[in-house]
Amino acid sequence: MTLSDIEEWVIERNRLLMTSVISVSSTAVWIPLHHYNGTMAGRECYHCKQWVEEGEEHDCWTTTETALTQDLSGDLQDAWERLRETAVSLGDQRIYASHKSVMFSRKSCYFFVRPKRNFLEVCVFLGRTLKAPQVRRVDRASKHKIVHVIQIRHRDEVEAPITGWLREAYELSDMLASNADTIRANSTPKPRPKQRKAKAARKGVAAWKSKRR
């Protein structure tokens, strides 16, 4: 087989790959060929599904608070500012942007906000299940945390009982962190009886030898 034959074979193989179809749940999904004959290496971003060539800088996960909120309508901007001020008034915490959300965290996140086109989606972590008209959805996030999804469209909605739930979440986060520290401290292995006896025996032998000298 000559070099020309090999090149023709590679071209034909790539053409067939370009038009290959994979059937997923009876739905045809066209698969693009991202790297011809293996010469263009890269990867598909796990988050945004964009193809990133080798050596190309790509960071769709990291963003800023300003980038997430700058396109909000006037009413939502006012609601966001009041919500943020309410959270800051609770005490020490870290506020940062991550992917499409603004996170409010102590040792762990106690609530976060996803800015949407028509509302702010507020997700609050509590230790109990709320039954209130403001709560759109409830999901269990962990053994001790239940996330409550709330939609806010106006600054006047940032008041009781929502502000009370934010404080409750803030205090719960600190309590769970303290309990975790206590559990870790109590889980430090203590010497077993046999280990204590062996240690005492070694001390006795050492004392006996010192007396003989």
Side-chain angles (χ1 to χ4, degrees), residues 125-186:
F125 295 97
L126 297 172
R128 61 190 178 99
T129 300
L130 297 176
K131 292 183 179 180
Q134 295 90 339
V135 179
R136 295 301 187 98
R137 194 176 77 249
V138 176
D139 293 312
R140 179 162 291 279
S142 68
K143 182 179 179 181
H144 301 290
K145 286 185 177 182
I146 301 170
V147 61
H148 297 73
V149 181
I150 302 166
Q151 294 181 2
I152 292 179
R153 292 177 168 79
H154 195 272
R155 66 178 283 117
D156 291 344
E157 296 177 71
V158 187
E159 58 182 11
I162 293 177
T163 52
W165 296 336
L166 293 180
R167 177 171 292 280
E168 182 179 338
Y170 180 88
E171 293 172 352
L172 174 68
S173 176
D174 187 48
M175 184 184 71
L176 292 178
S178 299
N179 289 345
D181 292 340
T182 302
I183 292 171
R184 279 194 293 269
N186 292 338

Side-chain angles (χ1 to χ4, degrees), residues 43 50-60:
R43 62 184 176 85
Q50 178 181 334
W51 182 259
V52 184
E53 301 297 344
E54 185 177 17
E56 178 184 350
E57 292 187 4
H58 177 77
D59 188 4
C60 68

Side-chain angles (χ1 to χ4, degrees), residues 23 40-41 47 49-50 78 83 88 100 121 123-124 126 151-152 155-156 159 162 165 181 200 203:
S23 178
M40 295 176 63
H47 301 290
K49 307 304 180 185
Q50 178 181 334
D78 292 342
L83 186 64
V88 169
K100 295 182 179 180
E121 186 176 73
C123 302
V124 186
L126 297 172
Q151 294 181 2
I152 292 179
R155 66 178 283 117
D156 291 344
E159 58 182 11
I162 293 177
W165 296 336
D181 292 340
K203 286 184 178 179

